[in-house]
């Protein structure tokens, strides 16, 4: 587990920077809306970094990551993993400065979205709904809403700017101060205004094939000028959340055009949700990791040679939901099974490859059914042991199987010792994945070879005496026949 030393060292220094301070509303949003998605530890890291700032300061003093480890009482690896969650969800931006004397990091804390931005966000709102369920989601949303006011019953009396203020006359402006005024209005190039704008969630546009979507999309229905930057961002988000392919997205976009004038983003979102309900289920998609993190993979730059190495490669490069689809011969994964997978990734913090090993082990043990109680028990054990590599998970799975075999043999021996009569019933053999049994089969064959009795001198003598006895019997029969 030394992978994180390549990215981050305890002696590396860091400085915290903010663009504006957290309001009471911001803190409630982070705790109530963001924390269910990133977890308590990531939330704690964000607030700990925030407390490094003195009052009315926007920069913190420089300190090492070792001090952060001591303060939070967690290892450096956990800090690194939780930091990535904050970065991905838009609460943190990380910058690195590498020098000969060591590396230093700048952690720029970002303000959370407003409640309106959060609940209108196509990604975060769907995942929060999935995590909390309908009732709790609505309770939280109600907490950040207020009753609308029917302004039609009122007459607006608000004064405009030019009704109250007036512009200075040219004669009132001193000519020799014009250059000073112009200079004063300019911002120093080495400075920037406090605050932030834009959306804090970033997506890689290359992950969605816009060209394929545009080729399939009729230019008569959706002219290319309607695909504005805002529309493209909405398409990327919806494709990510609902796993919509470009060809399917082109049809959805075509349904969201209003009078050939614009693409209605709200209607686009609604059509994407309707498509997901028809194609998959009424349950919203759950938040999950993709594949096993590259830093924990052991077969990235190695060509698998043995059967076990091929299995490790498969587990490391296959998402858990895809594994379930493969085990179901491409059939749809039941929502209950999908929630079990999400629990392994989110609640027990298992990495996807490790979750794959656990899923396969339980599936083959229980006739291709996921036993949640057993999964929770094993997942908790593996989480406590901090298993990050697929090979280590496979070793633990073998140990689990050995314990089960030993316990079964003991129970059978106890039952057979008490049994006085009646035929012995055949016990059911558990179905197991090939990687879990092939090593045991090799050991079993070796044991059988060792136990196979070879021809001894005693057995040879007994056979000779038996042959002589048979010859004597045949000889006596012949003599009686002659008489």
């Amino acid at each position: 587990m030394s992978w994180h030393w390549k990215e981050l060292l305890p002696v590396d220094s860091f400085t915290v920077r903010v663009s504006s301070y957290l309001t009471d509303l911001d803190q409630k949003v982070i705790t109530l809306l963001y924390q269910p998605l990133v977890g308590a530890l990531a939330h704690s890291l964000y607030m700990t970094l925030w407390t490094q700032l003195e009052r009315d300061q926007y920069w913190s003093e420089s300190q090492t990551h070792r001090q952060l480890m001591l303060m939070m009482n967690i290892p450096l690896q956990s800090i690194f993993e939780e930091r990535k969650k904050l970065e991905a969800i838009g609460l943190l931006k990380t910058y690195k400065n590498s020098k000969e004397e060591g590396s230093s990091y700048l952690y720029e804390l970002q303000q959370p979205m407003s409640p309106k931005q959060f609940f209108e966000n196509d990604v975060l709102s769907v995942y929060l709904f999935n995590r909390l369920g309908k009732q709790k989601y609505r309770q939280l949303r109600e907490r950040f809403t207020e009753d609308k006011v029917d302004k039609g019953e009122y007459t607006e009396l608000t004064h405009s700017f030019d009704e109250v203020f007036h512009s200075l006359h040219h004669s009132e402006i001193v000519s020799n101060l014009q250059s000073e005024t112009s200079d004063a209005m300019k911002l120093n190039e080495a400075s920037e205004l406090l605050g932030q704008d834009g959306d804090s969630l970033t997506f890689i546009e290359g992950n969605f094939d816009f060209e394929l979507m545009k080729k399939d999309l009729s230019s008569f229905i959706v002219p290319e000028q309607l695909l504005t930057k805002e529309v493209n961002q909405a398409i990327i988000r919806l494709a990510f959340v609902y796993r919509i392919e470009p060809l399917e997205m082109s049809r959805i976009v075509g349904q969201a055009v209003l009078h050939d004038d614009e693409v209605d983003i709200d209607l686009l979102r609604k059509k994407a949700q309707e498509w997901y309900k028809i194609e998959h289920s009424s349950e919203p998609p759950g938040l999950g990791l993709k594949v096993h993190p590259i830093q924990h993979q052991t077969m990235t730059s190695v060509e698998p040679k043995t059967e076990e190495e091929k299995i490790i490669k498969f587990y490391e490069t296959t998402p858990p939901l895809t594994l379930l689809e493969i085990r179901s011969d491409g059939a749809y994964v039941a929502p209950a099974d999908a929630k079990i997978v999400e629990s392994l990734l989110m609640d027990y913090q298992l990495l996807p490859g490790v979750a794959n090993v656990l899923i396969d082990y339980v599936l083959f043990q229980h006739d291709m059914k996921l036993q949640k109680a057993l999964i929770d028990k094993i997942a908790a054990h593996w989480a406590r042991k901090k298993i990050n590599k697929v090979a280590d998970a496979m070793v633990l799975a073998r140990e689990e199987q050995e314990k089960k075999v030993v316990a079964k043999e003991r129970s059978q021996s106890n039952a057979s010792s008490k049994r006085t009569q009646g035929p012995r019933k055949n016990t059911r053999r558990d179905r197991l994945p090939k990687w879990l049994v092939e090593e045991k089969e090799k050991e079993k064959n070796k044991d059988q070879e060792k136990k196979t009795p070879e021809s001894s001198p005693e057995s040879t003598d007994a056979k000779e005496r038996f042959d002589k006895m048979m010859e004597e019997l045949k000889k006596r029969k012949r003599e009686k026949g002659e008489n």
Side-chain angles (χ1 to χ4, degrees):
M1 291 171 52
S2 60
W3 62 269
H4 62 280
W5 299 108
K6 300 177 182 178
E7 300 285 342
L8 190 63
L9 295 173
V11 295
D12 289 341
S13 62
F14 73 91
T15 307
V16 180
R17 182 180 185 271
V18 294
S19 55
S20 61
Y21 270 85
L22 285 182
T23 64
D24 290 339
L25 180 62
D26 290 334
Q27 295 183 46
K28 290 178 181 178
V29 168
I30 291 174
T31 302
L32 297 176
L33 304 184
Y34 281 87
Q35 185 175 219
L37 302 182
V38 298
L41 201 53
H43 173 267
S44 177
L45 175 60
Y46 183 89
M47 300 309 297
T48 301
L49 292 175
W50 188 266
T51 56
Q52 304 308 303
L53 297 163
E54 297 290 341
R55 186 174 182 179
D56 296 331
Q57 287 187 350
Y58 297 92
W59 285 83
S60 73
E61 296 290 336
S62 178
Q63 56 181 307
T64 65
H65 283 83
R66 186 180 298 280
Q67 293 170 302
L68 187 61
M69 293 164 59
L70 294 174
M71 185 177 299
M72 296 189 65
N73 193 25
I74 59 175
L76 188 64
Q77 178 185 348
S78 298
I79 291 176
F80 182 72
E81 293 296 332
E82 301 307 315
R83 191 190 81 186
K84 290 194 294 184
K85 293 180 184 178
L86 295 177
E87 293 167 357
I89 209 164
L91 291 177
L92 179 67
K93 289 186 177 180
T94 303
Y95 304 92
K96 182 178 181 180
N97 185 6
S98 299
K99 297 181 179 179
E100 292 183 1
E101 57 270 21
S103 300
S104 61
Y105 290 81
L106 171 61
Y107 292 147
E108 191 176 69
L109 295 177
Q110 306 296 303
Q111 271 189 300
M113 296 181 183
S114 67
K116 184 176 187 297
Q117 289 173 323
F118 190 98
F119 284 104
E120 290 180 352
N121 187 279
D122 297 312
V123 179
L124 300 184
S125 59
V126 172
Y127 287 151
L128 184 68
F129 187 100
N130 181 272
R131 291 293 295 164
L132 301 180
K134 183 194 298 184
Q135 184 177 359
K136 185 62 178 177
Y137 177 85
R138 287 182 173 176
Q139 287 177 356
L140 277 179
R141 191 176 60 185
E142 288 294 323
R143 184 167 180 172
F144 293 103
T145 57
E146 59 180 0
D147 295 334
K148 281 187 176 181
V149 176
D150 186 6
K151 296 177 183 178
E153 300 177 355
Y154 296 83
T155 301
E156 185 174 2
L157 302 177
T158 307
H159 289 78
S160 63
F161 182 84
D162 57 353
E163 286 181 300
V164 178
F165 300 97
H166 65 275
S167 177
L168 294 176
H169 194 270
H170 289 291
S171 62
E172 296 179 272
I173 303 175
V174 182
S175 60
N176 62 356
L177 291 180
Q178 287 183 357
S179 59
E180 296 180 10
T181 304
S182 177
D183 292 339
M185 293 292 289
K186 291 181 179 179
L187 185 66
N188 190 339
E189 293 182 359
S191 305
E192 63 181 353
L193 292 173
L194 296 175
Q196 58 191 35
D197 53 10
D199 204 338
S200 56
L201 286 182
T202 57
F203 291 85
I204 302 174
E205 291 192 13
N207 290 338
F208 183 81
D209 194 341
F210 269 103
E211 291 302 318
L212 179 60
M213 184 195 76
K214 290 177 181 178
K215 289 178 181 178
D216 188 66
L217 197 61
S218 173
S219 59
F220 295 101
I221 299 176
V222 185
E224 189 167 343
Q225 60 266 26
L226 297 188
L227 298 177
T228 62
K229 183 179 180 181
E230 186 180 5
V231 172
N232 287 344
Q233 288 179 347
I235 290 173
I236 293 174
R237 293 161 183 267
L238 293 171
F240 171 79
V241 174
Y242 297 105
R243 291 185 288 182
I244 305 175
E245 295 298 326
L247 297 179
E248 295 162 341
M249 180 60 77
S250 69
R251 299 178 184 88
I252 295 173
V253 172
Q255 297 171 7
V257 177
L258 293 178
H259 311 297
D260 298 331
D261 293 328
E262 62 174 343
V263 176
D264 189 323
I265 295 180
D266 290 333
L267 183 59
L268 179 67
R269 184 184 299 113
K270 181 180 178 182
K271 293 298 181 181
Q273 292 170 352
E274 291 176 354
W275 174 89
Y276 185 85
K277 290 178 181 179
I278 294 172
E279 293 292 326
H280 297 283
S281 72
S282 59
E283 291 290 326
L287 175 64
L289 302 175
K290 292 185 177 180
V291 295
H292 204 68
I294 190 72
Q295 61 267 26
H296 292 297
Q297 293 187 19
T298 58
M299 302 300 298
T300 49
S301 57
V302 180
E303 186 66 28
K305 297 178 181 178
T306 65
E307 189 67 27
E308 183 162 326
E309 288 179 348
K310 292 178 181 178
I311 294 295
I312 293 175
K313 181 81 170 180
F314 170 73
Y315 286 148
E316 289 179 345
T317 56
T318 305
L321 285 178
T322 304
L323 175 71
L324 279 177
E325 290 177 356
I326 293 173
R327 295 294 179 250
S328 306
D329 293 330
Y332 169 67
V333 177
D337 291 345
K339 287 194 174 184
I340 290 176
V341 173
E342 184 184 354
S343 175
L344 291 176
L345 301 177
M346 297 296 295
D347 298 334
Y348 296 101
Q349 299 293 311
L350 293 185
L351 297 180
V354 176
N356 283 337
V357 177
L358 177 52
I359 291 169
D360 246 4
Y361 172 72
V362 175
L363 281 176
F364 283 94
Q365 282 275 26
H366 295 275
D367 197 22
M368 289 297 160
K369 287 185 282 188
L370 289 179
Q371 299 287 339
K372 191 175 187 308
L374 177 61
I375 287 177
D376 289 342
K377 181 179 178 181
I378 299 175
H381 176 221
W382 290 10
R384 288 192 296 269
K385 292 183 73 69
K386 294 180 170 50
I387 302 300
N388 291 324
K389 289 186 170 58
V390 170
D392 295 338
M394 291 170 66
V395 170
L396 283 183
R398 289 191 181 106
E399 291 178 357
E400 291 282 346
Q401 178 61 18
E402 287 175 3
K403 292 176 184 177
K404 185 174 181 180
V405 171
V406 170
K408 184 181 289 187
E409 289 177 351
R410 286 179 180 173
S411 62
Q412 289 176 355
S413 61
N414 292 337
S416 60
S417 62
K418 295 178 182 179
R419 192 184 298 114
T420 56
Q421 60 182 3
R424 183 176 179 178
K425 295 182 179 179
N426 293 327
T427 56
R428 181 181 66 87
R429 291 187 63 188
D430 293 324
R431 292 181 62 191
L432 295 171
K434 188 176 179 181
W435 59 266
L436 193 60
V437 296
E438 60 184 4
E439 185 174 322
K440 298 299 170 188
E441 291 293 334
K442 291 178 183 177
E443 295 177 0
K444 184 178 178 181
N445 293 336
K446 290 180 181 178
D447 294 340
Q448 288 179 348
E449 290 175 1
K450 292 179 181 178
K451 294 178 181 179
T452 302
E454 297 179 357
S455 56
S456 59
E458 290 83 2
S459 61
T460 304
D461 294 338
K463 187 175 182 304
E464 290 178 355
R465 288 196 298 271
F466 179 79
D467 292 338
K468 288 181 179 180
M469 183 178 68
M470 293 300 294
E471 287 294 332
E472 286 289 331
L473 288 174
K474 291 178 181 179
K475 185 178 179 182
R476 289 179 183 178
K477 286 182 179 180
R478 285 198 298 270
E479 290 177 350
K480 288 181 179 180
E482 293 175 355
N483 295 331

